Amino acid sequence: MDRSACSPASASLTRLAAAYLEQLLAGNRRGACALVLDAVRAGADVREIYLKVLQPVQHEVGRLWQENTITVAVEHFCTAATQLVISQLFPYIITETKHGLSMVGCCVGEELHELGMRMVCDFFEMDGWDTYYMGANCPQDAVLAAMAERRPHALCLSVTMHQNVPLARDIIQAVATQFPAVKILVGGFPFLLNPDLAASLGAHGWARDAHEGVRLAAFLCRADQEDAA
C-alpha cells in the first residue's frame, strides 16, 4: 500500500478537494477560492494543490457533465472558477531560481480546453523554466512564429479532442523540421488512451500530468546539454 496516500497531508487535501467541489457545484465561487487560498497561506504546497485538488476536481466536473448530471453552464462556471484560483496562485509559483531552460506551451488547433496546459506551464515555472504560455486555439502558424521568436528548449502541446490529433501531428512535423533541437512533449486524453500515440506522431514523449511533464522535459533537455558538453 502507498503510505503517502494515507498520510494526514494527503487526507487533508482529499477533504479540501471535496469541499472545493461542493462550493463550485453550489455556485459559490468566492467560497471555493477562499478554501484554496487559505490552504496555501497555511502552508499547503502549490504543486500538491494543483495535483490533488484542482486537477481531480476538474476531472470530476468533466465526468459529471458527460453523464448529464450537471449542465454545460455549470461545467463552464466550475472551470472559470478554477482558472480564477490559478491566477490568484501565480504569486506563489514565481521563483527567482532559473536554470536557463525555456518552454512554449499551447493547445493545438481549435482546442478550447486550456486549463491543463496552464497548469503544466505553471509547473515548469515553479521548476525554474522560462515559460511562454500561448493558451487555447493555437494554429500552426502561430506556434511556429512563437518558436522562431522565443527559441525554446521544449514545446509542450495539449490535445483533448481526438479530432485534433492530426493537427498536433502537423505541428510536430513542422517544428521537428524547422527547429530540430527542440524537444516536443504532448499530453491530453488521447495519449492516456493510447500511450503509443505520441511516438507515432513524432513527439519525444508524453506525460500524464504536469509533474511528469516537467521531469521528462528536464531529462531530455539536460541530456542534450550534457552531450553537447
Side-chain angles (χ1 to χ4, degrees), residues 118-130:
R118 185 170 181 177
M119 290 183 179
V120 167
C121 288
D122 283 356
F123 264 70
F124 274 86
E125 191 75 32
M126 286 185 278
D127 196 55
W129 292 64
D130 288 315

Side-chain angles (χ1 to χ4, degrees), residues 2 4 35 47 51 82 132 158 163-165 175 220 223 225:
D2 182 1
S4 65
L35 284 172
R47 292 178 178 85
L51 291 177
T82 297
Y132 193 73
S158 175
Q163 61 263 32
N164 288 323
V165 169
V175 170
L220 292 171
Q225 290 178 335

Side-chain angles (χ1 to χ4, degrees), residues 9 24 36 50 53 64 84 86-87 89 91 96 110-111 131 134-135 143 160 169 174-175 178 200 216 222 224-225:
L24 290 181
V36 174
Y50 273 46
V53 178
L64 292 173
L84 175 62
I86 289 176
S87 67
L89 290 176
E96 297 299 326
E110 298 178 354
E111 285 286 352
T131 65
M134 296 179 63
V143 176
T160 302
R169 179 197 59 219
V175 170
Q178 298 183 36
S200 72
L216 177 58
R222 286 169 180 155
D224 269 5
Q225 290 178 335

Side-chain angles (χ1 to χ4, degrees), residues 37-38 40-42 44 46 87-95 126:
L37 293 175
D38 287 349
V40 172
R41 294 187 187 109
V46 175
S87 67
Q88 292 177 323
L89 290 176
F90 190 74
Y92 296 93
I93 74 170
I94 298 174
T95 175
M126 286 185 278

Side-chain angles (χ1 to χ4, degrees), residues 152-165:
H153 296 87
L155 170 66
C156 295
L157 301 175
S158 175
V159 183
T160 302
M161 310 301 289
H162 289 279
Q163 61 263 32
N164 288 323
V165 169

Side-chain angles (χ1 to χ4, degrees), residues 142-228:
V143 176
L144 293 176
M147 299 300 292
E149 178 182 349
R150 308 299 301 184
R151 296 288 174 174
H153 296 87
L155 170 66
C156 295
L157 301 175
S158 175
V159 183
T160 302
M161 310 301 289
H162 289 279
Q163 61 263 32
N164 288 323
V165 169
L167 298 176
R169 179 197 59 219
D170 293 344
I171 292 175
I172 290 169
Q173 291 177 352
V175 170
T177 299
Q178 298 183 36
F179 309 96
V182 172
K183 301 304 179 184
I184 306 171
L185 281 71
V186 293
F189 190 62
F191 305 101
L192 290 172
L193 294 180
N194 180 7
D196 296 325
L197 179 60
S200 72
L201 299 181
H204 294 92
W206 72 281
R208 293 174 178 82
D209 57 37
H211 178 64
E212 186 176 303
V214 171
R215 293 180 62 184
L216 177 58
F219 171 78
L220 292 171
C221 293
R222 286 169 180 155
D224 269 5
Q225 290 178 335
E226 291 173 1
D227 290 343

